[in-house]
Amino acid sequence: MPDARRLRIELAIVLGLSLGASAVYSIVSIIGRVTDTRPLADQSAAINQSRSSREWLDFTYQFLDVFFGLFVVALALYLLWRPGGSPFRRIGFDLTRPGRDVASGLALVAAIGVPGLALYAIGRAAGVTVAVVPSPLDTYWWTIPILVFAALKAALVEEVIVVGYLFTRLRELGVGPWATIVSSALLRGTYHLYQGFGPFVGNAAMGVVFGWCYLRWGRTMPLVVAHWVLDMVSFIGYPLAVAWWPTLFAPPAQ
């Protein structure tokens, strides 16, 4: 087992290349938002937006963002690789029990999806959450497939790194289970802070549930399934949400 000093340095590097950096940027973003002349309710945060007015260039940017975004997942798995053992098996990210993993993931979707949507709506109504725009309203033929892969990338990056990798390394450093769950949950909430205080609370709560499930099941695959489904619904269903509930979901007029 690597010594504690090396593990801490490794943790800092992995998080600094991925969601730790996102958390820092998110803190800076929320400071900028709350000191803006406009209230949070009149601000918006865009995700998966168009990168170019030229279709082929927009597609290329979107594809490369997904492709290169997965390299940090590969790095985390590589660092967890031990001779004679599989890093995928080590964190339960494999296909040894697909039926149970999918069922558990869908159960998490049911348990988290509706409360999460309600918390977002409450945050918008209370003025502590910005309008999150998770996908463009105008689409090409490839928009939905790209959004599906973008949702998969987000699920893999967050669950493999913030749960599988982080929990493994903190356990090796002697950190207790609940301290690990809380640390992971706070990190998850913090890198969503750019969306406002409601998403911070909601994602931190999601992190507690996911962390507890991981300690109970020893598998990240159900978490990846749940996260992927939640993000696909969010990304692909956004235009419908704007049409049905424009007050809550439509971006504010600039």
Side-chain angles (χ1 to χ4, degrees):
M1 181 183 298
D3 62 71
R5 181 170 177 269
R6 180 173 177 177
L7 285 181
R8 292 190 186 96
I9 293 173
E10 180 192 292
L11 262 173
I13 292 172
V14 171
L15 293 179
L17 290 172
S18 58
L19 295 166
S22 298
V24 173
Y25 279 114
S26 198
I27 291 170
V28 174
S29 177
I30 195 63
I31 292 173
R33 290 185 182 281
V34 298
T35 56
D36 196 288
T37 55
R38 297 170 299 159
L40 285 176
D42 293 338
Q43 300 179 40
S44 63
I47 308 171
N48 304 315
Q49 294 303 291
S50 175
R51 306 288 186 85
S52 173
S53 59
R54 289 180 286 176
E55 181 180 351
W56 72 269
L57 193 56
D58 191 12
F59 171 80
T60 302
Y61 279 130
Q62 302 282 357
F63 174 80
L64 291 178
D65 182 65
V66 172
F67 178 74
F68 286 112
L70 292 175
F71 272 77
V72 71
V73 177
L75 173 63
L77 289 168
Y78 178 80
L79 292 170
L80 291 176
W81 181 24
R82 295 182 299 192
S86 167
F88 300 93
R89 182 71 59 85
R90 189 176 182 187
I91 62 172
F93 181 55
D94 54 32
L95 300 176
T96 56
R97 35 179 275 185
R100 291 177 63 185
D101 287 340
V102 170
S104 299
L106 294 179
L108 283 174
V109 170
I112 291 174
V114 174
L117 184 61
L119 186 60
Y120 175 79
I122 292 170
R124 289 290 294 146
V128 296
T129 299
V130 306
V132 180
V133 184
S135 64
L137 294 176
D138 53 332
T139 61
Y140 300 111
W141 67 267
W142 46 263
T143 299
I144 289 180
I146 281 291
L147 290 175
V148 169
F149 284 113
L152 178 60
K153 183 199 79 170
L156 291 173
V157 170
E158 294 191 41
E159 306 314 327
V160 170
I161 294 176
V162 177
V163 179
Y165 171 79
L166 185 62
F167 274 54
T168 300
R169 289 305 191 225
L170 290 182
R171 182 176 64 248
E172 292 171 345
L173 286 169
V175 179
W178 276 106
T180 298
I181 289 175
V182 171
S183 299
S184 174
L186 288 176
L187 174 59
R188 189 187 295 263
T190 302
Y191 59 72
H192 286 96
L193 193 55
Y194 70 96
Q195 299 174 3
F197 298 105
F200 168 81
V201 173
N203 280 279
M206 174 180 169
V208 171
V209 174
F210 274 30
W212 182 85
C213 289
Y214 178 69
L215 289 183
R216 182 178 177 85
W217 299 333
R219 297 186 61 75
T220 56
M221 187 60 81
L223 313 184
V224 171
V225 170
H227 196 140
W228 190 14
V229 171
L230 287 169
D231 277 7
M232 280 194 294
V233 171
S234 173
F235 294 172
I236 298 171
Y238 175 71
L240 286 177
V242 170
W244 292 344
W245 302 289
T247 303
L248 291 177
F249 293 99
Q254 299 297 320

